[in-house]
Amino acid sequence: MQMVQAQQSNTQDLKSATQHQLNHDHSGHDHSGHDHSGHDHSGHDHSGHDHGGHDHSGHDHSGHDHGSHAGHGHDSHSSGPCGHHDGPYDPTGTAIHHISDGNVYSILDAIRIPLPTFLYAPDKGWDFFMSSKFHIGHHEDGHMSYNGYVMHHGSAYRVVDAGFPMEGSVAHDCFTKKTVKDAKGKDKDINYVMYNGKEYKLDARSTFDAGLLGGGITSFYDYSISKNVLSMILVALLLFFLFRKAAKAYTRNPNSAPSGLQNVLETVFMFIRDEVAIPFIGEKKYMKFLPFLMSIFFFILGLNLWGQVPFLGSTNVTGNLTFTMVLAIIVFIVVNINGNKDYWKHIFWMPGVPVFVKPVLAAVEGLGLFIKPLTLMLRLAGNISAGHIAILSFIGLIFIFGDIFGGIGGNVAGTFMSIPLTMFMMALEIIVAFVQAFVFTILTASYIGAATEEHEHH
Amino acid sequence: MIFLISFTPFQPTFGLAFWSLVIFLLFWALMAKFAFGPIADALQKREHDIQGSIDEAKKARQEMSNMKAENDKLLAEAREERTLMLNEAKEQKNKMIAEAKEQAKAEATKIMQTAQAEIESQKLAAKQSLKAEVGTMALDIAEQVIRKDLKNDSSQVDLVNNLVSNLKLN
């Protein structure tokens, strides 16, 4: 609304107005009624669309135009911001949406399993509820708010506008997005929810990237059992069940040859033990680290494969940087807690090199200490996310062809292109699932091996 | 930048970090205690058992081959002994035969010599007694010749012939 004001008064004030909006002056909304009084849209029915239109035209003038908003100019009264669904297929948005975490577990955009949602805001405390309170619909956007929270693209957002009803549930309209420049000149997306014809600003999702990846400090924290968390729990339980069954078979018939499930798991187990744990850590110490390596390998493998099962939500846990970061931190801690004297000596005062080289090597090795887990984290997330995006892109061909050639014919042509490509990609992704789990485990084993290695020659 | 802004999988979130940590640590602890630990131990034990069995089998085979070698040795020894014994027996036999022959020969020679001596002495005795008898006979014949008066020549001749044919040599 500040944008509109700025447009009407003086374009020279645009910059300050944008910053004003970033600072989020709530009083700006109080003036919106006055600004639009001349447009005859004071009613609460669908006039909100036109308000959105004003805001977008403001963007056009300020040069921050966003591709998806191009059709929502000031003069086009035919479609407001809530007519968003009619736009052409957006492959990027769809792919990103599908590989993201969410507060609802959707299968084929038809079955929506509500998840427990735990939200904490320092100024108002905890909110515990099921995400079905949001009445989630198409695009995983909610239709109802709950205690000042709304659901947009599968994630819970908090309305940070005093005018919005903060208690109980109210029905709201669609969501709009604006891109503004922040103080450093970076583009920043701000989401709004439409309610009673007015836009109410949403706080960003709760992240802790210090603003590096578009997040920042938010007024609430999302501790929900999200789609990824549910997948983790299910995979962990499934693996526990399978391995428990195998372990029982060993204790029941310790001297009989393995068969069935026990045989399959044993083959993989022995492979990790004989090709990863023993060569890298050594015959003497590997038993101490074997459960850790096995946990890492099978947890990652299970989640990789879980995400590849079609029509099961295609969750992207191992492609999520948060998850891989946690694993990498655990690896970092396990490696360095077990580091012996030689390990630290090799990092900070490398033996066998001239003294003037030692500080240089110490700096390099010190950096390497942190780069190792960082690469673990990025490699796994990147590979798995890339696989998901590739598959989604090939499936997206169906809709892209539909858009290009129009109607069912295009869709059919796209389907014929899409099926072999998607099948090929899925086969590849099954290999990637194993390879990435293996790579993560073998690198972890090599770091542990380096940290616990005995040097006799110094 | 627009990509990154909405690239939610790469935005770290508190909730997911918290739950990932909790779930992974629980998974690790439970799997180590109830699944991976027992399986690793069982595998190790089974491998030891298998190795032990193999070693035992190897040992048994070694023992068996040792025993067989010993048996063979014993057999060979026995065979050799048998041959030796046979040879010895043969030698003994030959020796005995030779000895017996020798003895028999000697005995025979001795018997012959005794026999010869006996014959000689008998011959001598016979000659002696013949001499004595011939004398007596001659005397008898002469007596009878003389008693018959020598009637004719032919009767003389017949008488002599008769006398000679009556002459018994021993």
Side-chain angles (χ1 to χ4, degrees), chain A residues 96 100 213 223 244 266, chain B residues 7-8 10 19 34 46-47:
Chain A
I96 297 300
S100 302
L213 296 165
Y223 287 102
R244 191 73 202 119
E266 186 185 302
Chain B
F7 211 50
T8 46
F10 283 179
W19 288 112
F34 294 111
R46 202 178 65 192
E47 267 155 33

Side-chain angles (χ1 to χ4, degrees), chain A residues 92 96 99-100 187 189 205-209 213-214 221-225 228-229 232-233 240 243-244 250 255 258 266 269 273 286-287 291-292 294-296 299 319-323 326 330, chain B residues 1-21 23-25 27-47 49:
Chain A
T92 315
I96 297 300
I99 62 169
S100 302
D187 281 337
D189 279 352
R205 288 167 72 250
S206 72
T207 57
F208 62 114
D209 60 354
L213 296 165
Y221 303 100
D222 187 347
Y223 287 102
S224 308
I225 304 293
N228 283 355
V229 176
M232 266 187 261
I233 293 171
F240 186 79
F243 274 97
R244 191 73 202 119
Y250 283 107
N255 292 320
E266 186 185 302
F269 191 96
R273 193 192 65 178
Y286 82 94
M287 273 302 264
F292 178 58
M294 292 293 172
S295 299
I296 283 187
F299 200 43
N320 192 302
L321 213 56
T322 312
F323 174 76
V326 170
I330 292 171
Chain B
M1 213 52 208
I2 290 158
F3 276 88
L4 277 182
I5 284 161
S6 45
F7 211 50
T8 46
F10 283 179
Q11 286 178 335
T13 53
F14 287 103
L16 190 60
F18 170 75
W19 288 112
S20 302
L21 187 70
I23 293 168
F24 181 75
L25 291 181
F27 180 75
W28 178 12
L30 291 177
M31 289 300 262
K33 179 139 175 47
F34 294 111
F36 294 143
I39 290 174
D41 289 342
L43 282 177
Q44 216 171 27
K45 193 175 159 282
R46 202 178 65 192
E47 267 155 33
D49 285 356

Side-chain angles (χ1 to χ4, degrees), chain A residues 299-361:
Chain A
F299 200 43
I300 293 175
L301 178 66
L303 285 166
N304 284 351
L305 292 175
W306 180 262
Q308 291 302 324
V309 181
F311 314 127
L312 214 64
S314 300
T315 46
N316 183 33
V317 185
T318 40
N320 192 302
L321 213 56
T322 312
F323 174 76
T324 57
M325 181 189 69
V326 170
L327 281 191
I329 289 171
I330 292 171
V331 168
F332 177 81
I333 293 170
V334 167
V335 167
N336 289 299
I337 275 183
N338 289 293
N340 58 20
K341 217 174 82 188
D342 282 336
Y343 170 68
W344 294 110
K345 206 169 149 192
H346 274 75
I347 288 172
F348 292 118
W349 206 245
M350 180 72 84
V353 295
V355 177
F356 69 92
V357 182
K358 286 175 194 268
V360 181
L361 276 177

Side-chain angles (χ1 to χ4, degrees), chain B:
Chain B
M1 213 52 208
I2 290 158
F3 276 88
L4 277 182
I5 284 161
S6 45
F7 211 50
T8 46
F10 283 179
Q11 286 178 335
T13 53
F14 287 103
L16 190 60
F18 170 75
W19 288 112
S20 302
L21 187 70
V22 169
I23 293 168
F24 181 75
L25 291 181
L26 269 177
F27 180 75
W28 178 12
L30 291 177
M31 289 300 262
K33 179 139 175 47
F34 294 111
F36 294 143
I39 290 174
D41 289 342
L43 282 177
Q44 216 171 27
K45 193 175 159 282
R46 202 178 65 192
E47 267 155 33
H48 280 161
D49 285 356
I50 290 171
Q51 194 57 47
S53 302
I54 290 171
D55 288 348
E56 218 161 85
K58 221 179 253 175
K59 221 171 103 187
R61 207 163 47 198
Q62 186 69 38
E63 244 162 53
M64 236 162 85
S65 72
N66 280 354
M67 261 161 75
K68 204 177 161 223
E70 214 161 286
N71 280 353
D72 284 350
K73 209 174 125 198
L74 277 175
L75 208 67
E77 259 170 32
R79 212 169 272 155
E80 208 175 325
E81 209 163 314
R82 189 193 65 183
T83 320
L84 217 71
M85 271 161 79
L86 275 174
N87 285 349
E88 220 167 81
K90 220 182 234 170
E91 223 167 82
Q92 192 85 8
K93 180 192 81 179
N94 289 345
K95 206 170 138 198
M96 269 165 80
I97 290 172
E99 249 170 38
K101 269 185 183 163
E102 201 82 5
Q103 219 164 351
K105 223 183 205 167
E107 200 81 1
T109 318
K110 209 171 144 195
I111 288 170
M112 290 272 272
Q113 272 170 352
T114 325
Q116 212 101 36
E118 189 80 2
I119 289 169
E120 255 346 281
S121 67
Q122 289 282 336
K123 214 159 103 185
L124 212 63
K127 266 183 191 164
Q128 218 68 333
S129 79
L130 191 65
K131 263 181 199 166
E133 218 139 299
V134 166
T136 345
M137 273 155 91
L139 281 179
D140 277 348
I141 292 166
E143 197 183 271
Q144 284 186 16
V145 168
I146 296 165
R147 256 184 219 164
K148 261 195 154 184
D149 289 336
L150 303 166
K151 296 170 183 174
N152 49 33
D153 281 337
S154 61
S155 61
Q156 292 268 344
V157 173
D158 282 342
L159 180 69
V160 171
N161 282 350
N162 203 25
L163 285 173
V164 171
S165 68
N166 281 347
L167 188 75
K168 277 182 193 157
L169 290 169
N170 194 20

